[in-house]
Amino acid sequence: MNDLLYLISGWSGLLLRGSVLLQVGVALGLLVAHRAWRLRWRPSAGSWLRVAGELAVIAALQLACVGFGLARLPAGLLLLVLQLVAVWTVLDGLRLVLRRFHPAAAVEAYWVRAVRPLFVVLVLLALVERLDGLGAVASLPLLELFGEQLTLGGTVLLLTLPYFLVVLSELPVLVLGAVLERLMGMTAANRKVFELILRYVLIGVGVLWLGNQIGLNGTAVAAIAGGLSVGLGFGIKEVFSNFVSGLWLLFEGSVRPGEILLFQGDPVEVRRLGLRAATLWRSRDNVELVVPNQIFFTDTTTTYTGSDRMRRSEVLVGAAYRHDPDAVIALLEQVARAHPRVLAEPAPKALLLQYGESSIDYGLRFWIANPMRNSDISSEMRRAIWHAFQERGIEFPFPQRVLTQASDP
């Protein structure tokens, strides 16, 4: 720790030199001017005007470096800022290209979670390399962990690498999954399962590599594992149970991303199967439900996409007793066949269900391709039946009662 404090004090003395302060002032002035220009014109994230502004900053920094060279002044810090701005401009251009081939929201989310933090780390590493050499700084001893000396570089890896393992593993896994889907003819659900399992493997390998880099020995790992086993038995057994349930569901294939399930009486789509919980999308109110994996592992699950995506739907309707049941059944099947979102095979089927108190009750059964659209299609079918009954003069009966007043004896 004393070595680190001594190193920082040396950096402060270096940064207070006149030539360094002049370079810092020029670089900050150009960056502030660029920021003011962005606030004035507000170029959107998907606009090439934004990249043009960054190219103007690069040109200004290049001119500043030339000017410093003509004045025989050191310009190493300005050159470093120029290189970093150039890297950022290339990344921003790549961002615009990706927005043309992928959803803008997904690109922006990955940009905020992965690219920006990674660029900040790159800037810090470049500054350290410029000031004192990255290798010398990384080897500074900082503290002792499980009997092993932990260096400054190992501490930085321990604090940053887990985050980047989780975030950065997303993009290569998605790319590899898309390639394998085309080459091997994988379904979308199988591709998502493969991507999730591969991502877990990458994160696990990265964690093992991190432990080896920071010098954790086998005794320390065994001690951590023993402590975790006690914790699993008491405090976090539900978390561990959900994790194991999620992995089992992935290998079994009963609950996968893209599947349509019946959950709490509503059809839902599995959007994501995570380490602890599954994210379900419910169409009727456009909400996402986060459900622990253990629920699917222990309870009965109704799926509409286990073997195919077809779902049989049913609409109940009553007609007056004076109408011929054969004519009503034929009309109901005709209405179903005319609906554009009802499948022709299997063919719609109307049935006489029972003789009610005020009507003959019928059921119209038909098949649809998308279970998530059942409510919409059923509503459209009821409206079509109402119009068809009105045209044919078929009555929708309702309960009628005749009340008579008894005379006094």
Side-chain angles (χ1 to χ4, degrees):
M1 184 63 72
N2 293 331
D3 294 337
L4 179 60
L5 295 177
Y6 178 77
L7 182 66
I8 294 175
S9 64
W11 289 352
S12 61
L14 177 63
L15 292 174
L16 290 176
R17 293 180 180 178
S19 58
V20 175
L21 290 176
L22 182 59
Q23 295 178 70
V24 171
V26 172
L28 286 179
L30 291 174
L31 295 177
V32 170
H34 175 255
R35 181 63 179 174
W37 172 82
R38 284 183 53 181
L39 293 176
R40 173 66 178 83
W41 294 100
R42 298 184 181 277
S44 62
S47 171
W48 286 101
L49 181 62
R50 190 166 181 168
V51 178
E54 294 164 359
L55 291 174
V57 175
I58 293 176
L61 287 170
Q62 185 66 49
L63 290 175
C65 289
V66 172
F68 271 67
L70 294 176
R72 299 184 180 276
L73 294 174
L77 189 58
L78 274 179
L79 183 60
L80 176 62
V81 175
L82 172 62
Q83 295 169 348
L84 292 174
V85 174
V87 171
W88 179 262
T89 304
V90 171
L91 292 175
D92 222 4
L94 179 62
R95 173 190 184 185
L96 296 180
V97 174
L98 290 176
R99 286 170 63 99
R100 296 184 178 273
F101 299 98
H102 299 279
V107 174
E108 291 302 318
Y110 191 78
W111 185 268
V112 172
R113 292 187 294 110
V115 178
R116 283 183 181 177
L118 190 61
F119 183 76
V120 171
V121 173
L122 175 63
V123 170
L124 295 176
L125 293 178
L127 288 174
V128 171
E129 175 66 25
R130 185 68 185 178
L131 290 173
D132 213 335
L134 193 58
V137 176
S139 60
L140 287 176
L142 191 62
L143 53 90
E144 193 171 305
L145 182 64
F146 297 111
E148 296 291 335
Q149 188 66 44
L150 191 62
T151 63
L152 180 60
T155 304
V156 173
L157 282 176
L158 188 62
L159 296 177
T160 59
L161 189 61
Y163 172 80
F164 287 111
L165 277 175
V166 174
V167 175
L168 294 179
S169 62
E170 180 178 357
L171 183 60
V173 165
L174 291 177
V175 173
L176 183 59
V179 172
L180 290 179
E181 182 182 9
R182 293 185 178 182
L183 294 179
M184 303 177 61
M186 299 171 62
T187 63
N190 289 334
R191 188 198 74 187
K192 292 181 179 179
V193 172
F194 169 79
E195 291 172 355
L196 191 58
I197 294 176
L198 179 59
R199 194 175 179 190
Y200 291 161
V201 171
L202 290 177
I203 293 173
V205 171
V207 170
L208 293 177
W209 178 85
L210 174 60
N212 181 64
Q213 287 298 114
I214 63 177
L216 286 181
N217 54 39
T219 305
V221 174
I224 295 174
L228 285 177
S229 63
V230 176
L232 291 175
F234 294 97
I236 56 174
K237 61 179 181 179
E238 294 296 332
V239 176
F240 185 72
S241 176
N242 285 317
F243 173 74
V244 174
S245 299
L247 291 179
W248 189 270
L249 291 172
L250 282 175
F251 284 111
E252 188 181 48
S254 56
V255 178
R256 295 180 177 180
E259 297 283 340
I260 307 297
L261 310 176
L262 185 66
F263 183 72
Q264 296 179 349
D266 294 306
V268 295
E269 179 183 350
V270 181
R271 288 289 178 87
R272 189 175 66 89
L273 189 60
L275 289 172
R276 185 195 66 85
T279 302
L280 313 178
W281 175 66
R282 189 168 61 194
S283 62
R284 65 177 174 87
D285 48 5
N286 192 31
V287 299
E288 288 189 344
L289 309 174
V290 180
V291 181
N293 294 329
Q294 192 176 5
I295 290 181
F296 301 107
F297 191 71
T298 57
D299 294 346
T300 302
T301 303
T302 302
T303 176
Y304 294 116
T305 51
S307 55
D308 55 59
R309 293 183 62 89
M310 292 193 305
R311 175 185 177 178
R312 196 196 74 176
S313 185
E314 184 177 21
V315 172
L316 303 178
V317 62
Y321 274 92
R322 59 187 178 87
H323 301 296
D324 183 5
D326 293 335
V328 174
I329 289 175
L331 179 59
L332 291 174
E333 293 178 351
Q334 177 184 345
V335 171
R337 286 192 296 267
H339 196 284
R341 294 202 283 180
V342 172
L343 298 178
E345 291 293 335
K349 181 68 175 178
L351 303 172
L352 192 156
L353 299 181
Q354 66 177 358
Y355 295 103
E357 293 184 1
S358 305
S359 65
I360 301 179
D361 298 327
Y362 301 89
L364 175 59
R365 298 173 180 176
F366 52 90
W367 294 83
I368 60 177
N370 187 356
M372 299 298 294
R373 301 267 71 89
N374 178 58
S375 298
D376 298 339
I377 297 175
S378 297
S379 175
E380 295 170 2
M381 186 65 67
R382 292 184 181 95
R383 291 164 55 193
I385 292 173
W386 188 91
H387 288 294
F389 276 25
Q390 293 296 312
E391 293 174 1
R392 300 294 182 88
I394 297 178
E395 177 188 357
F396 290 99
F398 52 89
Q400 302 182 27
R401 294 180 180 179
V402 178
L403 301 179
T404 59
Q405 183 176 0
S407 59
D408 294 334

